[in-house]
């Protein structure tokens, strides 16, 4: 029946494209999580009333985040060519998409991290200070654990944005389902291929959302 | 134990400087439960936060346990804070940690080993009466239980002082009493000095040894709780004393008494920290041939004994009544004849 509905879909192509999408998504989500967390912490801690309250540092971080969030993703990929070439030794393939994906995703996630951290009860931070905590302890044992459900929801939203970014990364031959749907489906007028790729992407998005919701709910003891 | 000299905190706002704490001088003895009472905006919250420098003093000195707190550098302050416990109005527990892990947190900060932490936490859970709740999360506890966790957490590093920032203000009256009992218990068992701030005179009456009344950043009255109760000098103090002793019906009663009890002698008795003469009434009726009619009164218990006022009517032979009054004068109960005058 599948062959009747999707006559032009080849299973091995689909598996390869799915693998590429999953590879790009998971690596870029991991990278975005780390870089975004760092930027988000920096935004929060240097903000007014933060532990490292520092106007200049806050302004610089906020500017970097805002600038990179403002650049359309497709332009960002092109702008990052030299950097990607230096870092990955190539500007083509799934690996070459990673720097752009992470640099595009991290500022977005950084803002979500900042919001999540702002939700942490000030009283709890104060209590930790009153106990004689080092800043490091406050960050790792109070701020991050207390905001974890929101940090997880945030990375889920970001991951889904990254999945759609991977399709855009097709312009540099990054591969993946979005790329496949465009080049082998749309351009050859094989719309069954487009439909099939779309279904697969939707399923991947659903799985990410489900995992994100599940983990976030599990961690939330409020 | 704690000595505070000329402590001042000025907040600079756009239009003006606010002196939240103004040239404050206090000394608090070891093992004392010291209460600071004031209305909101009196500066008491700022005051208690100055004691562990959650708020940086603008000027003045705080000496705690022979250590000049105000001169400490950041790292020294961190270590000093580990010896000052603090509990909060809204408990400030980490919701992501269990009761056990919340209490273990200050021990982690102090770098205690896993084994030490486990022993100490179990000890504390027992002490605050939360046995069996170690694996619960704060969200599963009632307000009173949360504050018990807060207290256990504050005691974890064997502090010399416990600061209580409106610790019972978010609790219902019954729970408040059970938390206050726990504080007294800890004070007696561990000899811990407790400094608390509150706006409820009830809290002061129930557990404090000494009290300071704050208004506009200054201590306007200070002393033994009983003295302050008995002879409140400032208006604000009188209002606080009225909170627990207040008797809005008294004026009306006096009026009615005047009309209805023409015979005999109406006298007012002041019980001032009585332990020995609480049975005065039965004592009188046994010793003198008088009938005693209790008309109106309120007696309350403080840490130093019973305190309160009572209006009674003595009916009998005029001579005997006068003898009875003279007898009361020989006791420590204060007597006022003809309170209507």
């Amino acid at each position: 029946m599948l062959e009747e509905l999707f006559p032009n879909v080849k299973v091995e192509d689909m598996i390869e494209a799915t693998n590429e999408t999953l590879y790009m998504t998971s690596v870029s989500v991991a990278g975005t999580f780390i870089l975004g967390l760092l930027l988000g912490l920096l935004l929060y801690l240097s903000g007014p009333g933060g532990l490292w309250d520092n106007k200049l540092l806050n302004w610089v971080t906020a500017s970097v985040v805002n600038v990179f969030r403002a650049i359309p993703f497709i332009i960002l990929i092109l702008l990052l060519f030299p950097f990607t070439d230096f870092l990955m030794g190539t500007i083509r393939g799934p690996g070459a998409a990673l720097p752009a994906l992470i640099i595009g995703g991290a500022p977005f996630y950084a803002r979500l991290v900042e919001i999540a951290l702002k939700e942490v009860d000030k009283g709890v931070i104060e209590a930790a200070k009153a106990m004689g905590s080092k800043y490091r302890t406050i960050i790792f044992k109070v701020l991050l654990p207390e905001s974890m459900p929101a940090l997880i929801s945030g990375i889920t939203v970001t991951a889904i944005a990254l999945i759609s970014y991977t399709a855009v990364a097709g312009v540099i031959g990054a591969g993946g389902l979005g790329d496949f749907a465009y080049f082998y489906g749309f351009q050859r007028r094989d719309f069954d291929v487009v439909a099939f790729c779309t279904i697969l992407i939707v399923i991947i998005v659903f799985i990410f959302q489900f995992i994100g919701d599940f983990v976030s709910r599990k961690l939330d003891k409020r | 134990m704690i000595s505070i000299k000329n402590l001042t905190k000025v907040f600079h706002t756009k239009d003006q400087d606010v002196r939240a704490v103004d040239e404050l001088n206090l000394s608090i003895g070891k093992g004392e439960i010291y209460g600071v009472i004031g209305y909101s905006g009196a500066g008491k919250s700022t005051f208690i936060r100055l004691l562990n420098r959650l708020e940086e003093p603008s000027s003045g000195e705080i000496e705690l346990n022979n250590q000049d707190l105000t001169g400490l550098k950041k790292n020294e302050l961190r270590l000093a804070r580990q010896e000052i416990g603090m509990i909060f109005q809204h408990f400030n527990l980490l919701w992501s940690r269990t009761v056990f892990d919340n209490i273990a947190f200050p021990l982690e900060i102090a770098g205690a080993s896993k084994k030490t932490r486990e022993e100490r936490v179990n000890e504390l859970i027992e002490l605050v009466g939360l046995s069996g709740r170690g694996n619960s999360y704060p969200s599963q506890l009632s307000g009173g239980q949360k504050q018990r966790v807060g207290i256990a957490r504050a005691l974890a590093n064997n502090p010399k002082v416990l600061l209580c920032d409106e610790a019972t203000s978010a609790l219902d009256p019954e729970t408040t009493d059970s938390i206050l009992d726990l504080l007294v218990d800890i004070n007696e068992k561990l000899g811990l000095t407790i400094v608390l701030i509150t706006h409820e005179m009830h809290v002061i009456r129930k557990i404090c040894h000494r009290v300071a009344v704050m208004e506009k950043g200054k201590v306007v009255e200070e002393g033994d709780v009983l003295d302050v109760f008995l002879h409140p000098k400032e208006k604000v103090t009188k209002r606080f004393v009225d909170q627990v002793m207040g008797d809005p019906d008294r004026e009306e009663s006096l009026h009615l008494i005047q009309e209805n009890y023409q015979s005999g002698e109406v006298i007012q008795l002041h019980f001032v920290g009585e332990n020995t003469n609480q049975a005065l009434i039965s004592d009188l009726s046994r010793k003198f041939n008088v009938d005693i009619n209790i008309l109106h009164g309120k007696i309350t218990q403080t840490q130093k004994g019973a305190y309160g006022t009572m209006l009674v009517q003595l009916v009998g032979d005029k001579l005997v009544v006068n003898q009875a009054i003279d007898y009361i004068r020989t006791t420590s109960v204060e007597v006022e004849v003809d309170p209507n005058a």
Side-chain angles (χ1 to χ4, degrees), chain A residues 86-104:
Chain A
F86 165 75
L87 205 68
M88 311 298 291
T90 174
I91 55 164
R92 303 198 59 78
L98 292 176
L101 286 171
I102 293 169
I103 290 171

Side-chain angles (χ1 to χ4, degrees), chain B residues 77-191:
Chain B
L77 175 65
R78 237 174 24 74
L79 294 175
R81 277 176 176 170
Q82 292 176 5
E83 306 216 314
I84 308 172
M86 191 169 194
I87 56 176
F88 305 86
Q89 179 174 5
H90 298 295
F91 325 123
N92 297 350
L93 304 177
L94 288 102
W95 60 255
S96 58
R97 287 176 169 237
T98 59
V99 166
F100 185 98
D101 289 336
N102 261 293
I103 302 173
F105 187 40
L107 296 163
E108 286 171 30
I109 292 169
S113 72
K114 191 157 183 266
K115 194 164 163 283
T116 324
R117 290 204 303 256
E118 222 155 90
E119 282 170 14
R120 181 79 184 125
V121 172
N122 286 326
E123 217 174 281
L124 287 160
I125 287 182
E126 189 81 25
L127 177 74
V128 299
L130 283 176
S131 304
R133 301 310 303 261
N135 291 322
S136 303
Y137 283 91
S139 62
Q140 299 165 311
L141 303 179
S142 69
Q145 289 172 322
K146 283 181 195 161
Q147 195 57 287
R148 283 170 192 269
V149 179
I151 292 170
R153 181 175 74 173
L155 296 178
N157 282 323
N158 293 310
K160 310 280 191 300
V161 188
L162 179 66
L163 307 177
C164 310
D165 185 356
E166 297 269 8
T168 57
S169 301
L171 303 173
D172 62 63
E174 219 165 288
T175 316
T176 294
D177 281 354
S178 80
I179 292 294
L180 293 178
D181 288 340
L182 176 63
L183 288 176
V184 172
D185 192 40
I186 288 163
N187 168 259
E188 284 166 0
K189 259 192 207 152
L190 311 174

Side-chain angles (χ1 to χ4, degrees), chain A residues 97-222:
Chain A
L98 292 176
L101 286 171
I102 293 169
I103 290 171
F108 177 71
Y109 184 49
R111 283 297 183 193
L112 298 181
V113 170
E114 189 195 10
I115 294 168
L117 294 174
K118 277 184 178 165
E119 291 293 309
V120 175
D121 185 0
K122 298 274 175 303
V124 177
I125 299 168
E126 186 144 88
K129 278 189 199 164
M131 286 180 239
S133 302
K134 292 181 183 141
Y135 284 174
R136 202 179 49 199
T137 316
I138 295 182
I139 293 169
F140 288 104
K141 294 199 164 183
V142 179
L143 283 174
L144 294 183
E146 292 282 295
S147 60
M148 201 45 86
L151 294 179
I152 297 296
S153 308
I155 198 65
T156 310
V157 172
T158 313
I160 287 160
L162 284 170
I163 292 170
S164 79
Y165 283 177
T166 61
V168 180
V171 292
I172 57 163
L177 288 164
D179 190 25
F180 196 89
Y182 181 71
F183 280 107
Y184 298 94
F186 182 76
Q187 294 203 337
R188 287 181 182 169
R189 298 284 181 268
D190 289 340
F191 288 107
D192 60 324
V193 174
V194 178
F196 199 80
C197 289
T198 309
I199 292 168
L200 286 178
I201 289 178
V202 169
I203 291 172
I204 293 174
V205 166
F206 273 39
I207 291 171
F208 269 82
Q209 186 68 54
F210 176 79
I211 295 172
D213 286 349
F214 179 78
V215 174
S216 175
R217 212 169 332 111
K218 254 291 181 274
L219 289 173
D220 199 343
K221 309 287 185 192
R222 275 173 289 195

Side-chain angles (χ1 to χ4, degrees), chain B residues 3-7 22-27 34 219 222:
Chain B
S3 112
I4 296 155
K5 287 191 196 105
N6 300 322
L7 189 65
D22 197 359
E23 298 281 322
L24 200 114
N25 292 289
L26 272 186
S27 83
Y34 197 99
V219 169
E222 201 246 340

